[in-house]
C-alpha cells in the first residue's frame, strides 16, 4: 500500500541537488528511473521534471529501509529523505547535472506503486509515435520531452514581459464567434439556445483585434488558441497557439522593428544567442526568383537561376512551349551531385512532378564534357554556355524546369530543399532570419475562377498600387510581411485596411456583393464608421517557434497533448460519438455518407 505524505515535505527538486547542498539534509520526491543492486549497496535513480539524482542505501541502513528497497520497482513514486554527500572522484558521473553527489537515504517512503510502463521512460528510447501519444502522460516524463514544454513556458514568459514593458495590454477575445470566410475550413459549434445556428471556433482573432484598435487599445496582444479544420503535416495541428498582436498608428517598418526586438530578446534569454538585427528585408518577387519560395531557407546557396534568355530560340518544345505561354526556364546547380546514380536522379524528377512539373531536364557536368537529357536539342557549345552561365563546374548536376512561373518556383524550390537535406547542408543550430515583404495582394484561384486574398481580405494594398485595385489586381502589392526562419514562416502580418471605402472596394474585387460583405463582416464595417485608426499587426506561430528553437522534428513534440495526422487524439479517443439525447437537444441528426 502506498504511504501518505504525512510529516514529510519536499525541500529540493531532483535536478537541483548539486554539490552546493553537500552535507545538508534534503527531501526529494519523484519517480524511480532505475534501481541497481551492487553487493552491499542499492542505488536508486530518482527523476522529476528537473532531472535525476542518485540515492544510495547500504548495509548500515536501517532494516526498514533495506526491506523497503526490495519492494521498489521502476516508476514507483518515492519520497527520499537523507544527507547529500560528495561522490569520490572515481564515481563522478559527468553526464548528470547531479553527478558529483548522491543522497544517503535515511527515510524512503513509497507514495505510489506503478505497473510496468509500455515503454522505457528514457531520452533515447525507440518507440512509435502512436504508442507515445496514446500514453502521452508517460512520454512527458521523459526529460527531453519535458524540457521542450519548459522552454515553451519560458518563451511565453519572455514574450509577455517584453510586450508588457513596451506598453501592450493582454486582452482575451472570444472562442465562440461567427463563421467568416478566412481561408481554411471552420470548426463549427451548434447552438442549443438558437436551434439550427452555429458558432465557429476562431481561425485567428483577426476581426476582434481590429475592433480593439477602433476601441482605442492601441497595443494589444494575447497568446491564444486558434482552430482550423485542415489537413495536417509536421508543422500543423487542428488547434494551435499564436502570439497575436495589433498596434495603432504604425507603418510596416514599425511592426517589423518591434518584432525583431522581441525575437532578439527571446533568443537571448532562452537560447543565449545574440541575433544580429535588423533582419534582411526581401521582396516577395525576389524571394520567389532566387529561392522558389515565399519562405526561403537562406542557410545555404543553390539559388534558382533564370536561363530563359539562353534558350528562348530553341526548338525544344518543352522549353519553347513554356516560354511562349508566358512561363520561364530556370535551374538550380546541385554542387557535387554529378555522381548521383540514375535512380536517385529519377527520384529528384519525381519530387519535381509532385509540385506540378511535367518533368525535369538535367545536365551532368563532367571533366571531359556533359551527360544530359537535352543532348538531342542542344549542341555541346550551347550546353557549355548554359553551364558557364550558371557557374557549374565538373562534378555538379544542373536541374532544369520549364513551365509556368509558379510551377517552376514550386518545383525547384522543393528540389533545392530536398538536395540540401540529403547532402547535409541544413544546420539546425544555425538561425537565419529574414522578412519577406511586398506580397501580391491577390492570387488567382483556378478552382474558383476568381481572385482571392493571398493573406486575408483586411490586408492593405500599397499606397502606390491603390489605383490598380479594380483594373490590375494581379499587379497590386500588399503591405504584408512575413518573418521567416530557416525556411519556415515564423510569423506573418500586415498593415490593415482602416478605410471603409477601401475595404468595400477590396470586397468587390474578391467577388462579394455589398449585401454579402455586410452579412459576413457588417460588424467590422460598421465599426469603421466611427473613426478607425491606421493599424497593423502580426501573429507568430508559437508551436512552430518552439519546434525550431528546440530542433524538434514536429510541433507535436512541443505541444503537451497533440493530435495525429487525422486530427484524432490517441490519448482520449477524440473525436467520438455522443449520446442521442445530446443530439436531440441540439436539433441535430447524423447523416454520414458512405464512401
Amino acid at each position: 500500500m502506498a504511504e501518505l505524505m504525512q510529516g514529510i515535505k519536499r525541500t529540493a527538486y531532483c535536478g537541483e541537488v548539486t554539490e552546493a547542498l553537500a552535507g545538508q539534509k534534503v527531501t526529494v520526491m519523484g519517480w524511480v528511473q532505475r534501481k541497481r543492486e551492487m553487493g552491499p549497496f542499492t542505488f536508486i535513480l530518482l527523476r522529476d521534471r528537473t532531472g535525476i539524482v542518485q540515492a544510495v542505501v547500504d548495509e548500515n541502513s536501517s532494516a526498514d529501509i533495506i526491506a523497503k528497497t526490495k519492494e521498489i520497482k521502476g516508476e514507483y513514486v518515492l519520497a527520499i529523505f537523507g544527507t547529500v554527500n560528495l561522490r569520490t572522484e572515481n564515481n563522478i558521473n559527468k553526464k548528470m547535472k547531479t553527478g558529483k553527489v548522491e543522497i544517503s537515504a535515511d527515510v524512503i517512503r513509497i507514495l505510489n506503486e506503478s505497473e510496468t510502463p509500455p515503454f522505457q521512460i528514457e531520452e533515447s528510447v525507440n518507440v512509435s509515435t502512436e504508442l507515445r501519444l496514446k500514453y502521452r502522460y508517460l512520454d512527458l516524463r521523459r526529460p527531453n520531452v519535458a524540457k521542450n514544454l519548459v522552454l515553451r513556458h519560458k518563451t511565453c514568459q519572455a514574450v509577455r514581459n517584453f510586450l508588457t514593458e513596451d506598453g501592450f495590454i493582454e486582452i482575451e477575445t472570444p472562442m465562440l464567434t461567427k463563421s467568416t470566410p478566412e481561408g481554411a475550413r471552420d470548426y463549427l459549434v451548434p447552438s442549443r439556445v438558437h436551434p439550427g445556428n452555429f458558432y465557429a471556433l476562431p481561425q485567428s482573432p483577426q476581426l476582434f483585434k481590429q475592433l480593439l484598435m477602433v476601441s482605442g487599445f492601441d497595443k494589444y496582444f494575447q497568446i491564444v488558441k486558434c482552430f482550423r479544420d485542415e489537413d495536417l503535416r509536421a508543422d500543423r495541428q487542428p488547434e494551435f497557439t499564436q502570439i497575436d498582436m495589433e498596434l495603432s498608428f504604425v507603418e510596416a517598418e514599425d511592426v517589423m522593428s518591434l518584432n525583431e526586438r522581441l525575437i532578439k530578446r527571446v533568443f537571448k534569454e532562452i537560447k543565449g544567442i545574440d541575433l544580429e538585427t535588423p533582419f534582411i528585408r526581401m521582396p516577395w518577387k525576389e524571394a520567389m526568383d532566387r529561392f522558389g519560395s515565399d519562405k526561403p531557407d537562406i542557410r545555404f546557396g543553390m539559388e534558382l537561376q533564370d536561363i530563359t534568355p539562353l534558350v528562348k530560340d530553341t526548338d525544344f518544345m518543352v522549353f519553347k512551349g513554356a516560354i511562349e505561354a508566358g512561363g520561364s526556364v530556370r535551374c538550380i546547380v546541385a554542387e557535387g551531385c554529378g555522381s548521383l546514380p540514375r535512380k536517385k536522379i529519377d527520384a529528384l524528377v519525381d519530387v519535381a512532378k509532385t509540385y506540378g512539373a511535367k518533368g525535369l531536364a538535367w545536365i551532368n557536368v563532367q571533366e571531359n564534357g556533359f551527360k544530359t537529357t537535352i543532348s538531342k536539342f542542344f549542341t555541346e557549345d550551347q550546353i557549355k554556355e548554359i553551364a558557364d552561365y550558371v557557374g557549374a563546374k565538373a562534378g555538379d548536376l544542373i536541374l532544369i524546369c520549364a513551365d509556368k512561373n509558379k510551377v517552376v518556383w514550386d518545383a525547384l524550390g522543393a528540389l533545392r530543399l530536398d538536395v540540401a537535406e540529403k547532402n547535409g547542408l541544413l544546420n539546425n543550430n544555425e538561425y537565419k532570419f529574414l522578412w519577406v515583404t511586398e506580397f501580391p495582394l491577390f492570387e488567382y484561384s483556378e478552382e474558383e475562377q476568381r481572385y482571392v486574398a493571398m493573406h486575408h481580405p483586411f490586408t492593405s494594398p500599397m499606397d502606390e498600387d491603390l489605383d490598380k485595385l479594380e483594373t490590375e489586381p494581379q499587379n497590386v502589392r500588399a503591405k504584408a510581411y512575413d518573418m521567416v526562419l530557416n525556411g519556415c514562416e515564423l510569423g506573418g502580418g500586415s498593415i490593415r485596411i482602416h478605410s471603409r471605402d477601401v475595404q468595400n472596394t477590396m470586397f468587390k474585387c474578391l467577388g462579394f456583393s455589398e449585401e454579402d460583405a455586410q452579412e459576413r463582416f457588417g460588424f467590422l464595417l460598421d465599426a469603421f464608421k466611427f473613426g478607425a485608426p491606421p493599424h497593423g499587426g502580426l501573429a507568430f506561430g508559437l508551436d512552430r517557434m518552439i519546434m525550431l528553437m528546440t530542433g524538434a522534428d514536429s510541433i507535436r513534440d512541443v505541444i503537451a497533448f497533440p493530435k495525429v495526422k487525422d486530427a484524432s487524439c490517441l490519448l482520449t479517443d477524440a473525436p467520438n460519438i455522443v449520446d442521442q439525447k445530446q443530439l436531440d437537444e441540439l436539433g441535430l441528426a447524423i447523416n454520414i455518407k458512405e464512401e
Side-chain angles (χ1 to χ4, degrees):
M1 284 291 290
E3 296 181 7
L4 299 178
M5 289 179 58
Q6 283 183 315
I8 191 167
K9 298 290 183 184
R10 180 168 61 183
T11 63
Y13 282 93
C14 294
E16 296 172 352
V17 181
T18 64
E19 57 268 35
L21 296 178
Q24 297 183 34
K25 297 284 188 180
V26 297
T27 302
V28 292
M29 298 180 183
W31 289 262
V32 175
Q33 176 76 21
R34 191 179 303 113
K35 182 181 79 170
R36 293 179 297 137
E37 295 180 355
M38 299 178 64
F41 300 99
T42 299
F43 297 99
I44 300 168
L45 294 180
L46 199 68
R47 179 193 68 246
D48 62 20
R49 66 178 173 85
T50 66
I52 297 173
V53 68
Q54 178 171 283
V56 60
V57 174
D58 61 30
E59 58 189 357
N60 297 318
S61 300
S62 69
D64 176 65
I65 290 181
I66 292 174
K68 189 144 301 180
T69 60
K70 302 293 184 185
E71 303 174 32
I72 293 171
K73 297 179 182 178
E75 298 308 313
Y76 271 36
V77 186
L78 305 184
I80 298 177
F81 170 77
T83 305
V84 179
N85 292 323
L86 294 172
R87 297 197 201 187
T88 62
E89 191 69 30
N90 292 338
N91 289 323
I92 290 175
N93 186 341
K94 295 180 180 179
K95 296 180 180 179
M96 288 173 55
K97 179 183 174 183
T98 62
K100 291 184 178 181
V101 298
E102 60 187 11
I103 300 172
S104 294
D106 296 326
V107 176
I108 296 179
R109 287 194 184 178
I110 297 176
L111 303 177
N112 214 334
E113 299 173 352
S114 172
E115 295 182 4
T116 302
F119 54 84
Q120 289 291 105
I121 313 296
E122 293 180 351
E123 286 200 12
S124 57
V125 65
N126 185 17
V127 59
S128 71
T129 298
E130 288 74 17
L131 191 61
R132 285 176 50 209
L133 296 185
K134 180 175 174 61
Y135 296 94
R136 183 62 165 174
Y137 46 86
L138 296 179
D139 192 43
L140 290 174
R141 290 184 192 174
R142 297 196 298 137
N144 57 323
V145 180
K147 72 181 181 183
N148 288 347
L149 296 189
V150 173
L151 185 142
R152 183 185 178 114
H153 158 71
K154 290 179 177 178
T155 299
C156 290
Q157 290 299 102
V159 168
R160 282 194 166 95
N161 291 341
F162 175 89
L163 293 176
T164 301
E165 291 167 15
D166 205 81
F168 281 76
I169 299 171
E170 185 169 7
I171 304 174
E172 292 181 317
T173 52
M175 282 289 123
L176 296 176
T177 185
K178 181 180 181 179
S179 179
T180 56
E182 293 186 47
R185 188 183 294 109
D186 284 328
Y187 277 103
L188 300 177
V189 181
S191 170
R192 177 185 58 81
V193 180
H194 304 280
N197 292 304
F198 293 82
Y199 299 102
L201 300 180
Q203 295 185 30
S204 77
Q206 181 63 47
L207 300 181
F208 286 105
K209 68 182 184 179
Q210 290 192 251
L211 290 173
L212 287 170
M213 297 302 102
V214 180
S215 303
F217 290 95
D218 64 311
K219 286 187 173 183
Y220 138 92
F221 87 98
Q222 66 175 323
I223 298 176
V224 59
K225 275 276 186 260
C226 301
F227 307 86
R228 293 178 187 171
D229 186 4
E230 55 188 355
D231 294 334
L232 306 191
R233 59 189 185 208
D235 59 351
R236 183 182 284 171
Q237 284 275 301
E239 51 183 324
F240 57 97
T241 306
Q242 284 186 353
I243 302 171
D244 194 54
M245 67 183 74
E246 197 80 3
L247 305 84
S248 291
F249 309 111
V250 292
E251 296 178 333
E253 187 57 40
D254 300 315
V255 181
M256 289 190 284
S257 177
L258 169 85
N259 281 283
E260 284 178 355
R261 290 190 287 113
L262 169 61
I263 293 299
K264 185 178 178 73
R265 168 92 161 259
V266 167
F267 269 71
K268 182 66 174 177
E269 285 190 16
I270 308 303
K271 299 284 290 180
I273 296 172
D274 199 356
L275 298 176
E276 184 178 341
T277 54
F279 300 157
I280 296 168
R281 269 77 166 152
M282 186 180 296
W284 175 86
K285 183 63 164 60
E286 180 184 343
M288 299 305 293
D289 283 342
R290 291 177 58 188
F291 302 98
S293 172
D294 58 7
K295 44 183 184 294
D297 193 331
I298 59 173
R299 286 176 292 176
F300 63 99
M302 212 187 309
E303 296 184 15
L304 278 62
Q305 300 189 59
D306 190 349
I307 60 171
T308 306
L310 295 184
V311 299
K312 60 183 176 60
D313 297 322
T314 181
D315 291 328
F316 180 37
M317 284 308 300
V318 174
F319 290 0
K320 185 177 181 179
I323 296 169
E324 289 178 348
S328 60
V329 183
R330 303 174 192 246
C331 70
I332 58 172
V333 179
E335 293 186 16
C337 291
S339 59
L340 286 178
R342 182 59 185 264
K343 186 176 180 180
K344 290 192 174 181
I345 295 177
D346 289 343
L348 295 175
V349 176
D350 291 339
V351 170
K353 286 181 177 179
T354 63
Y355 289 86
K358 300 176 184 67
L360 197 67
W362 51 267
I363 301 172
N364 184 344
V365 184
Q366 301 175 329
E367 289 287 355
N368 55 353
F370 306 94
K371 184 177 180 181
T372 176
T373 52
I374 58 174
S375 57
K376 293 180 181 179
F377 310 98
F378 291 87
T379 67
E380 184 90 0
D381 287 342
Q382 288 174 321
I383 294 172
K384 183 178 187 304
E385 184 182 13
I386 293 173
D388 290 344
Y389 183 82
V390 300
K393 59 186 184 302
D396 293 345
L397 183 67
I398 305 172
L399 300 171
I400 307 171
C401 186
D403 212 306
K404 297 176 182 177
N405 281 341
K406 186 180 187 311
V407 172
V408 173
W409 285 333
D410 289 350
L412 290 181
L415 277 173
R416 177 178 176 268
L417 293 174
D418 187 79
V419 172
E421 183 176 0
K422 289 174 178 174
N423 286 274
L425 301 181
L426 304 180
N427 179 2
N428 287 335
N429 294 316
E430 184 179 13
Y431 298 95
K432 289 288 188 179
F433 289 85
L434 78 152
W435 289 101
V436 176
T437 63
E438 299 182 27
F439 283 82
L441 187 64
F442 303 103
E443 57 185 343
Y444 192 77
S445 169
E446 296 289 350
E447 181 181 346
E448 300 183 39
Q449 292 292 297
R450 67 179 180 92
Y451 283 101
V452 297
M454 180 170 273
H455 283 82
H456 53 62
F458 317 106
T459 300
S460 178
M462 294 186 71
D463 297 340
E464 53 268 45
D465 294 346
L466 265 173
D467 60 347
K468 302 174 185 174
L469 264 177
E470 296 186 81
T471 58
E472 301 176 57
Q474 71 277 12
N475 293 325
V476 179
R477 295 165 297 161
K479 292 182 180 179
Y481 35 79
D482 283 359
M483 185 185 288
V484 176
L485 170 59
N486 294 357
C488 290
E489 178 194 331
L490 200 61
S494 66
I495 298 300
R496 322 302 187 189
I497 297 170
H498 68 280
S499 160
R500 184 182 172 91
D501 290 341
V502 175
Q503 187 65 72
N504 280 330
T505 303
M506 180 71 169
F507 285 142
K508 183 180 178 182
C509 293
L510 293 171
F512 292 112
S513 67
E514 288 187 24
E515 293 76 17
D516 286 339
Q518 190 63 34
E519 169 65 25
R520 300 187 187 200
F521 306 106
F523 59 96
L524 180 69
L525 295 175
D526 290 344
F528 280 5
K529 296 176 184 178
F530 299 101
H535 59 282
L538 180 139
F540 286 110
L542 176 65
D543 312 298
R544 195 173 296 175
M545 180 187 296
I546 304 303
M547 178 184 76
L548 292 169
M549 291 174 70
T550 60
D553 294 327
S554 164
I555 62 171
R556 286 195 301 263
D557 295 329
V558 300
I559 297 172
F561 299 104
K563 304 208 168 30
V564 292
K565 195 172 183 180
D566 64 355
S568 65
C569 174
L570 300 182
L571 174 65
T572 62
D573 201 25
N576 213 318
I577 59 174
V578 297
D579 293 338
Q580 186 62 44
K581 179 182 178 182
Q582 292 175 277
L583 294 176
D584 293 341
E585 286 177 340
L586 294 168
L588 296 178
I590 304 298
N591 181 20
I592 300 176
K593 295 180 180 180
E594 293 188 13
E595 293 292 337

